[in-house]
Amino acid sequence: AQSVTQPDIHITVSEGASLELRCNYSYGATPYLFWYVQSPGQGLQLLLKYFSGDTLVQGIKGFEAEFKRSQSSFNLRKPSVHWSDAAEYFCAVAFGGATNKLIFGTGTLLAVQP
Amino acid sequence: DSGVTQTPKHLITATGQRVTLRCSPRSGDLSVYWYQQSLDQGLQFLIHYYNGEERAKGNILERFSAQQFPDLHSELNLSSLELGDSALYFCASSARGAQRETQYFGPGTRLLVL
């Protein structure tokens, strides 16, 4: 069955430190992968997506993610975290087929220490 | 601002009642998706409509129903409400609902059932 795993429920980093949020997926076909961010009380904003081609994708707000087929991973990275990055981050896979529904991971809550 | 609008932003009601959540997709988008975000279930796909027709159903209860109107706005109807239906309900839209499309999310409707 298709699934998305985000092993880290909660991460705390210091402002200015680097960040990596992990995402692993289980999907039989070519995955279409997304990272969304949800700030407190807000909706979901798309950070970046991978459909094909270059496995390192750039997104908004200085985020990037790397698709590694051999590891079934799509980890999100940022070289220097800002206090405004504190939010919940969701990895998702597009199901495809008759519907393009998204399967989401459980999310990683990021806290940023001054 | 994703261009997807949802009303109302907040809804407080009692068990056994019925409510209607409304979603207007981005201009030009034909597909509308509904998702439920709850503490115990996370983000789950409920239902997908494309150009007025139901395309796929996910973990949607029989007490819940949806439709998409000729002007492409969609409504999610929740009836015989239970405490466990308290959640954040998101609507998303995409161009056609095909693979390689990004879903853009609205701000959500927060439902509290007392």
Side-chain angles (χ1 to χ4, degrees), chain B residues 52-84:
Chain B
E53 294 191 2
E54 181 184 301
R55 179 71 70 87
K57 274 187 174 179
N59 297 324
I60 188 166
L61 299 171
E62 284 192 12
R63 299 183 287 108
F64 295 1
S65 65
Q67 53 185 327
Q68 186 180 24
F69 295 86
D71 67 352
L72 300 176
H73 91 272
S74 178
E75 294 181 357
L76 180 66
N77 301 294
L78 315 176
S79 61
S80 302
L81 284 167
E82 302 175 359
L83 296 178

Side-chain angles (χ1 to χ4, degrees), chain A:
Chain A
Q2 292 79 10
S3 65
V4 178
T5 302
Q6 293 181 248
D8 303 306
I9 296 173
H10 187 269
I11 283 182
T12 300
V13 299
S14 298
E15 191 167 16
S18 63
L19 172 71
E20 182 169 25
L21 303 182
R22 296 182 291 166
C23 172
N24 292 95
Y25 65 90
S26 172
Y27 189 63
T30 301
Y32 300 107
L33 298 157
F34 304 81
W35 275 99
Y36 285 86
V37 60
Q38 183 178 24
S39 299
Q42 302 296 312
L44 294 164
Q45 182 182 22
L46 178 71
L47 283 177
L48 47 77
K49 61 191 177 188
Y50 172 78
F51 289 163
S52 65
D54 193 346
T55 55
L56 184 63
V57 294
Q58 303 297 320
I60 62 171
K61 304 183 181 186
F63 285 92
E64 66 179 27
E66 185 171 13
F67 169 59
K68 292 185 177 180
R69 186 185 296 273
S70 62
Q71 297 177 19
S72 298
S73 68
F74 188 56
N75 294 347
L76 182 72
R77 301 194 295 247
K78 186 169 185 178
S80 177
V81 169
H82 188 261
W83 64 266
S84 61
D85 294 324
E88 190 155 22
Y89 292 79
F90 292 92
C91 180
V93 171
F95 190 91
T99 180
N100 201 33
K101 72 177 185 182
L102 292 174
I103 300 171
F104 284 91
T106 49
T108 297
L109 185 61
L110 174 66
V112 180
Q113 286 182 335

